[in-house]
Amino acid sequence: MAGAPPLRLLLLLSLALLLAAAAAKSSPRLSPNYYRHSCPHVERIVSDVIAAKQRANPSTAAGTLRLFFHDCFVNGCDASVLVSPLSSDATPERAAEINLSLPGDAFDAVARAKAALESACPGVVSCADVLALAARDLVGILGGPRFPVALGRRDSRRSDARDVEGNLPRTNMSARAMARLFASKGITAREMVALAGAHTVGFSHCGEFAHRIYGYRGGAGAGGGHDPRLNPEFARALQRSCAGYRSDPTVSIFNDIVTPRDFDEAYYKNLPRGLGLLASDAALWEYPPTRVFAERYAGNRTAFFEDFAAAMQRLGAVGVKTGRQGVVRRRCDALD
């Protein structure tokens, strides 16, 4: 028949398809039972260490959630954000400007859990899996949902600060821009809004929202106009609390001023009341495709918890490395 492909080409295509299928079949998959034989007590070990760290330092939970997000959104969930600048000749992700505010307690929590695992089953459990388990456990400790975590991630062999820019949302991004960024990671708008609910705990430094409370729309200096989307009384309180943020950049405010230590739906209830701290929080309420989910979660804790759990599982699968794609680092802060 005219135009029909030659037999040799058909055979080559068939062989290529068979090889691809075989490779996919043999590729390691994430599984909650990944360490069943190699480190059967992995979840209990991580849970015990993380719970003790949270009791000693209550800011650990929110910081670890943020650490997990920052890791997964830059080249996948591969523990590359954990590499310390002190252990590397290059400039790792952790040294990027947007990562400088990641809290030390979160890094310490992962390091402690990893050390305990190295004692129990050396060289077996990846730092990426430790971080995923720690984030899940800390959500539960604060009263949020518990959910299974698929395991088997490998750690990255590299960490480069140049990979960070453009891969993490900024606090002044529009909801539309954030949705595009999340979509590029395979995360839907619904999952994005559910993940934003992590702002029901933790805090933000005044520098991250100063433009909303001082000299809004052009003015300079403290005491100027504020973002009209903010509750006026809330804005004035923020102006007072953040007055010295330039001389002390560590000054911070709870993301959720109503129930700052509880993992609940209050974050969403705050948005229509003008109590969303960051511009990106307010943006979720203004943009109809995301507002519909924020409204749902504000009135239904069960729906929020279910969607947050599912979104965390999706986040934990972003760009994962398995098998020979990565390694199991013995220290999370170094590319050993």
Side-chain angles (χ1 to χ4, degrees), residues 21-88:
K25 187 174 182 180
S26 62
S27 177
R29 302 288 184 181
L30 299 188
S31 165
N33 300 316
Y34 185 83
Y35 298 110
R36 176 187 294 173
H37 302 296
S38 57
C39 193
H41 303 299
V42 57
E43 295 207 31
R44 178 179 59 77
I45 292 170
V46 172
S47 179
D48 288 348
V49 173
I50 292 301
K53 176 66 180 180
Q54 175 66 14
R55 286 193 297 270
N57 301 92
S59 65
T60 299
T64 304
L65 272 173
R66 188 169 172 229
L67 188 61
F68 181 54
F69 177 82
H70 279 227
D71 183 48
C72 291
F73 255 48
V74 180
N75 296 330
C77 307
D78 60 4
S80 52
V81 76
L82 301 179
V83 177
S84 170
L86 300 178
S87 70
S88 175

Side-chain angles (χ1 to χ4, degrees), residues 227-238:
D227 186 338
R229 295 174 296 180
L230 284 168
N231 177 289
E233 185 177 346
F234 182 44
R236 287 190 290 271
L238 292 175

Side-chain angles (χ1 to χ4, degrees), residues 46 106 139 160 227 239 311 329 335:
V46 172
V139 168
D160 194 324
D227 186 338
Q239 289 174 341
R329 303 203 304 260
L335 294 172

Side-chain angles (χ1 to χ4, degrees), residues 48 159 169 171 186 211 240 259 261 269-270 279 293 310 322:
D48 288 348
S159 179
T171 58
H211 65 284
R240 292 191 297 270
T259 57
R261 294 179 177 84
K269 292 180 177 179
N270 290 340
F293 300 116
T322 58

